[in-house]
Amino acid sequence: MRLCPWLMKTRIPYPVLALLTFLLLAGNAAAYALALRHDAAPTLTVSFLDVGQGDSILVKGPTGIQVLIDGGKDRSVIRALPKVMGPLDRTIDLMVATHPDADHIGGLPDVLARYQVAHLLSSGRETDSSFVDRLEAASTGERGMARGVARKGMRIHLGGGAYADVLHPEDNVAKLPDTNDASVVMRLVYGDTEFMLTGDAPSWVEDRLVKGYGDGLRSDVLKAGHHGSKTSTGALFLGAVDPDTVVISAGKDNSYGHPSADVLERIRDSGAAAISTIESGTIIFVSDGKTVSRK
């Protein structure tokens, strides 16, 4: 059998050969990963990112739709996102700014600078701060991005039957005395599983939600309001949500004393388990629509 004359007469330099080998292996690995992803059952993934003293949550729906809820206070979110999205993924379908406090929106301009964001949803609560001004400037410069305000009764479809219902605020945000009062509260639902995400909503908002929704608040996972402050995650709300797990997003040795000992006691009394980004770093949950497991 004769070999190809080109192979017989041509010596491939080692660097080129190494590159060709790498590309071949990388291509096979990518094809294998794609096949696994295609065969895998659809899931909803909720990642509570470790951004220090602040909030940032990445939600990935069963069909790949990605929602970033808040961005912490600084560039920490830029370091956290590639670890859950992958280093080459630079698209976010929806960004939600729950309310205009620095520890929730401070990192969002950096996200807008690095990622292509299709939609931005905010509470509509106005306040004067350099963080708000910076986010506004970054939003204005994001070409093609649609903007809107979150209001009670809205449903955000995440693909594959998953969705997020906005439970708060209503249309009275301009009259609310504090920015925390206007926090966007959402309940993520996928099949028989639910996640309650509360921003910095205080106890009076929680009590109003209990009055309006009752057992309709039931969720497997609850994000503690206001980083575990004693002004949130009240006993009445815990009873209605009845979570298996309460996630606390806070920074190590923060000056606020979060999470409060009172909140931790209330969580224990409710029978739920409390976990914090302080000890655990980024916390990831995966739902197959039937059960929720921690990754």
Side-chain angles (χ1 to χ4, degrees):
M1 182 173 109
R2 293 185 60 190
L3 295 175
C4 171
W6 184 85
L7 288 175
M8 294 175 62
K9 297 179 181 179
T10 304
R11 296 185 63 185
I12 303 174
Y14 177 77
V16 176
L17 182 61
L19 177 60
L20 290 173
T21 303
F22 170 78
L23 291 175
L24 178 62
L25 292 175
N28 289 340
Y32 179 68
L34 184 62
L36 286 178
R37 188 162 58 246
H38 179 74
D39 293 339
T43 57
L44 172 74
T45 304
V46 183
S47 303
F48 298 86
L49 305 181
D50 180 12
V51 291
Q53 182 61 23
D55 264 21
S56 189
I57 304 165
L58 182 73
V59 177
K60 187 172 184 178
T63 61
I65 292 174
Q66 295 184 128
V67 180
L68 179 65
I69 304 169
D70 290 329
K73 64 179 180 179
D74 53 32
R75 290 179 56 83
S76 297
V77 66
I78 296 298
R79 294 187 289 273
L81 278 174
K83 297 176 183 178
V84 292
M85 292 178 63
L88 301 181
D89 190 349
R90 294 295 179 88
T91 60
I92 294 172
D93 298 285
L94 172 64
M95 175 187 287
V96 180
T98 61
H99 63 295
D101 282 5
D103 56 346
H104 289 252
I105 67 168
L108 293 183
D110 296 301
V111 174
L112 287 170
R114 180 166 294 202
Y115 292 83
Q116 182 180 351
V117 179
H119 300 84
L120 172 62
L121 202 62
S122 67
S123 68
R125 178 63 157 81
E126 296 181 359
T127 188
D128 293 327
S129 82
S130 60
F131 295 97
V132 173
D133 293 341
R134 186 166 173 255
L135 178 57
E136 179 63 28
S139 302
T140 303
E142 188 77 0
R143 292 186 298 176
M145 184 178 69
R147 302 176 63 174
V149 292
R151 288 293 178 265
K152 176 183 176 180
M154 291 178 62
R155 173 164 290 184
I156 302 165
H157 292 279
L158 304 175
Y163 59 88
D165 281 339
V166 178
L167 309 183
H168 184 79
E170 300 181 26
D171 291 325
N172 61 338
V173 292
K175 299 178 181 178
L176 298 176
D178 190 84
T179 53
N180 290 340
D181 298 338
S183 288
V184 177
V185 177
M186 294 189 295
R187 183 172 182 259
L188 305 181
V189 179
Y190 182 43
D192 297 327
T193 63
E194 308 87 13
F195 295 78
M196 182 66 68
L197 310 178
T198 59
D200 279 358
S203 292
W204 76 263
V205 171
E206 296 175 346
D207 293 347
R208 178 172 289 189
L209 291 173
V210 172
K211 183 177 180 180
Y213 293 96
D215 292 341
L217 299 176
R218 172 71 182 90
S219 300
D220 298 280
V221 177
L222 165 67
K223 188 203 75 71
H226 204 179
H227 320 289
S229 165
K230 65 181 180 181
T231 60
S232 299
T233 319
L236 184 66
F237 190 61
L238 278 166
V241 178
D242 190 23
D244 297 318
T245 307
V246 179
V247 176
I248 300 169
S249 183
K252 185 177 181 180
D253 299 325
N254 66 83
S255 60
Y256 305 97
H258 296 156
S260 163
D262 291 343
V263 168
L264 294 176
E265 183 177 1
R266 290 199 290 263
I267 294 171
R268 283 195 298 270
D269 290 345
S270 75
I275 55 176
S276 169
T277 57
I278 296 174
E279 291 87 16
S280 302
T282 291
I283 299 166
I284 303 175
F285 291 94
V286 178
S287 165
D288 61 3
K290 298 179 181 178
T291 60
V292 174
S293 59
R294 186 173 170 192
K295 188 174 178 181

